[in-house]
Amino acid sequence: MATIPWLVDVLRGAGVQVVVEGDWLNRMRPGSFDPIGVLWHHTASTSSASNPHPALGICINGRSDLPGPLCQALVDYNGVFHVISAGRCNHAGVSGGSGPIPSGDGNTLMIGWEIDYNGVNQEMTAAQYNASIAATAAVLTRLGRDSSYARGHRETSTTGKIDPSFIDLNVMRADVAAKMAGSGTAWSSTVDNTTAGRFTASASWGVSTYSSQRYGADYRYADPVAASDPAWYRFNVPAAGNYRVEAWWPTNSGYNSATPYIVATSSGNRTVYVDQRATGGQWRVLGTFALPAGDANRVAVSRWSNATGLVIADAVRLTRV
Ligand SMILES: [Zn+2]
């Protein structure tokens, strides 16, 4: 993903008041952008009813020591989202890793909201809080991520950032989760091969960055063998019910035409075969399955294919239906 041109529509669809700030679709930093989460900040500027967005110019144009844009959107005193950029921005610096957000280039990994309050003797307004919750819920839904993918800058910073202050980030995430549930948004969770604690594969599975159709940083591959040696994806399924299971793989003519995906359902394992020579770089539906509640290995890619070509394990997504 190079840009998020859907941002304005998604925010408006969530009832968030939006002001588009000029050429937001083309205003961005050079470099990679493949966001999996949202990062909350405060600007350290003092806003007020008469001066609702004192940091807007800086967020668009940057500072002498840091070129703009400095966030994808600024949230003003009244809770209005000023959308600045559809691409990479200088807001996050290096991520030290927090929750499901890995360590690495924070400006690649996250979309930033700069909430315009000073954070020293001024807390965010109720309007800013409510708009930030609604916007974050809508964007995470669009990204196919749960509320744990919203973080505060002080959680990911490696340089001692304190923002956003005067807020309990666990409470803020819980409010995002409630918003996602209450808006009728289906529970959805994505596990990539790099998701910490949720993917396991033997050393027979190599790591590749060869295809640009990959999901996230890289993917795993293995030769087909007459043995399962599966790569497992673990999910914390919130309740017994029916879930849509989707998989993402990069395509290559040298990949396997009959890769087995195993879904551990409430009534035993089901196997779905996919052609990984085609339709890569997107979510593909494997089917809808009854799953039990609980945190367990739920979907696997098996090496047991009769076809030739590498079997690929990249990302899997569950969505309650
Ligand atoms: Zn910050």
Side-chain angles (χ1 to χ4, degrees):
M1 186 188 306
T3 61
I4 49 169
W6 42 261
L7 180 59
V8 164
D9 288 342
V10 163
L11 294 178
R12 286 184 170 144
V16 174
Q17 202 177 331
V18 172
V19 172
V20 173
E21 295 293 340
D23 192 13
W24 71 288
L25 287 168
N26 296 304
R27 179 192 294 128
M28 62 191 70
R29 300 306 311 160
S32 66
F33 186 50
D34 189 14
I36 61 172
V38 170
L39 194 64
W40 296 317
H41 305 263
H42 71 235
T43 61
S45 296
T46 303
S47 58
S48 64
S50 60
N51 188 18
H53 43 71
L56 181 60
I58 286 173
C59 284
I60 293 172
N61 300 311
R63 311 185 301 251
S64 58
D65 62 330
L66 190 65
L70 302 186
C71 57
Q72 280 76 20
L74 176 134
V75 189
D76 79 16
Y77 183 85
N78 300 309
V80 176
F81 264 65
H82 295 255
V83 175
I84 292 169
S85 174
R88 178 184 172 92
C89 297
N90 277 333
H91 68 99
V94 173
S95 166
S98 176
I101 304 295
S103 57
D105 184 338
N107 296 325
T108 299
L109 291 164
M110 290 174 285
I111 297 166
W113 308 152
E114 282 285 359
I115 306 169
D116 212 354
Y117 69 103
N118 78 28
V120 175
N121 54 21
Q122 180 188 27
E123 61 184 4
M124 72 174 82
T125 66
Q128 286 175 322
Y129 186 82
N130 293 336
S132 297
I133 296 298
T136 302
V139 167
L140 290 177
T141 298
R142 181 64 173 74
L143 293 175
R145 306 286 175 166
D146 62 38
S147 61
S148 67
Y149 285 80
R151 313 306 299 183
H153 197 191
R154 61 182 145 94
E155 294 177 308
T156 63
S157 173
T158 60
T159 58
K161 297 289 186 182
I162 64 164
D163 62 317
S165 57
F166 299 121
I167 201 75
D168 183 324
L169 295 171
N170 289 323
V171 170
M172 201 163 172
R173 272 186 287 274
D175 285 345
V176 170
K179 189 78 177 179
M180 292 171 82
S183 62
T185 301
W187 177 88
S188 185
S189 182
T190 301
V191 175
D192 187 23
N193 61 291
T194 58
T195 304
R198 301 217 158 263
F199 178 87
T200 49
S202 76
S204 301
W205 290 82
V207 178
S208 179
T209 59
Y210 178 77
S211 174
S212 62
Q213 291 182 338
R214 65 185 179 269
Y215 187 97
D218 54 35
Y219 55 97
R220 303 290 288 268
Y221 66 95
D223 286 313
V225 291
S228 183
D229 187 25
W232 277 105
Y233 297 80
R234 182 183 181 99
F235 289 88
N236 192 2
V237 175
N242 291 322
Y243 292 82
R244 183 171 63 247
V245 179
E246 297 166 286
W248 180 301
W249 59 85
T251 288
N252 185 279
S253 59
Y255 294 166
N256 203 283
S257 62
T259 296
Y261 279 80
I262 300 167
V263 182
T265 75
S266 301
S267 55
N269 286 356
R270 303 294 166 81
T271 303
V272 179
Y273 295 90
V274 305
D275 184 350
Q276 293 185 320
R277 300 171 306 176
T279 59
Q282 57 190 300
W283 289 111
R284 303 296 301 182
V285 177
L286 303 183
T288 297
F289 302 89
L291 301 181
D295 195 0
N297 285 334
R298 195 52 60 197
V299 180
V301 180
S302 169
R303 297 174 63 192
W304 203 324
S305 172
N306 294 323
T308 59
L310 296 172
V311 297
I312 302 299
D314 196 354
V316 171
R317 178 166 75 182
L318 301 189
T319 303
R320 191 168 187 182
V321 296

